[in-house]
Amino acid sequence: ELKIEGMTCASCVRRVEKALGKVPGVSEATVNYATEKATIAHESHVDATILEAAVEGAGYGVHHEAPSEHAAHLAVEAYGPLRQQRANLMVAVALTVPIVALSMFWHPRPEWANMLLFVMTTPVVFWCGRSFFVTTWKALRHANATMDTLIAMGAGAAWAYSTYALIAYTGNSHHQSEHIYFETAAAIVSLILTGRYLE
């Protein structure tokens, strides 16, 4: 068994299984996303370092822990990421609610309000949602895509186009407001963070 790090969706599971399955001497590799464990059936000559190298070559990590430490550290391991997810989610929601309210109920807006939307949305997308972009970059380096790639593209495209509109339509607040979708970028990140936290 190997403890896998860095998986974010079902496609990650398939990639790890495929990488392990290609190792000569491996007859079966099964990855459980919920427990983050890979169970590998292999011939006796297959060394653990070869299996770990296959996982790392696919863009994921292997967590080393002695069997006796597992039970003692399981709760601590789960609590750290959960606490970070909660903090990201709280900041994202605290900023997204006024972003959506401002966008939906004030139209057209003056330019300063559109700039305020930019200022509030940027940390939601690139700080609270940074894990989506980090995972996307790691996957792209291995010529892969994950669910995080889709999230990063959606939120990133909405933010990028809105930022372009903010600059391109300076001096025409009505037209500027028509082409700004910062609330979409913030909502995508906040909704996915909510789902992952509940999961």
Side-chain angles (χ1 to χ4, degrees):
E1 284 190 345
L2 294 176
K3 175 85 170 172
I4 310 298
E5 295 180 332
M7 295 188 299
T8 59
C9 63
S11 63
C12 296
V13 170
R14 288 191 295 276
R15 248 187 302 286
V16 173
E17 287 177 341
K18 188 176 178 182
L20 289 168
K22 286 181 177 178
V23 175
V26 170
S27 55
E28 184 182 7
T30 306
V31 177
N32 186 313
Y33 175 65
T35 62
E36 299 181 323
K37 282 190 178 178
T39 304
I40 306 111
H42 59 84
E43 296 175 11
S44 58
H45 72 273
V46 178
D47 192 280
T49 55
I50 297 172
L51 299 173
E52 292 173 9
V55 172
E56 290 165 359
Y60 303 91
V62 178
H63 181 72
H64 297 277
E65 184 179 71
S68 60
E69 296 175 331
H70 180 68
H73 292 288
L74 187 61
V76 176
E77 285 180 3
Y79 183 69
L82 188 64
R83 184 173 54 186
Q84 185 179 16
Q85 282 184 342
R86 186 187 302 123
N88 277 346
L89 177 60
M90 289 174 66
V91 172
V93 170
L95 290 170
T96 299
V97 169
I99 289 168
V100 171
L102 187 62
S103 298
M104 295 293 105
F105 301 111
W106 191 6
H107 196 79
R109 298 172 298 275
E111 288 187 33
W112 69 263
N114 290 328
M115 181 57 74
L116 179 62
L117 288 174
F118 166 80
V119 169
M120 289 193 299
T121 303
T122 301
V124 173
V125 174
F126 297 108
W127 176 251
C128 300
R130 64 194 177 278
S131 63
F132 304 130
F133 294 92
V134 170
T135 305
T136 295
W137 174 245
K138 287 180 180 177
L140 289 176
R141 282 170 42 204
H142 292 88
N144 290 320
T146 67
M147 184 60 72
D148 285 18
T149 308
L150 181 63
I151 298 162
M153 286 175 61
W159 181 89
Y161 180 77
S162 299
T163 302
Y164 164 77
L166 189 67
I167 298 165
Y169 300 116
T170 299
N172 187 342
S173 62
H174 181 81
H175 208 54
Q176 189 183 60
S177 298
E178 289 284 344
H179 293 274
I180 283 181
Y181 302 99
F182 286 122
E183 77 283 356
T184 303
I188 288 171
V189 170
S190 294
L191 287 171
I192 300 298
L193 287 176
T194 301
R196 292 221 173 143
Y197 178 73
L198 293 174
E199 183 183 25

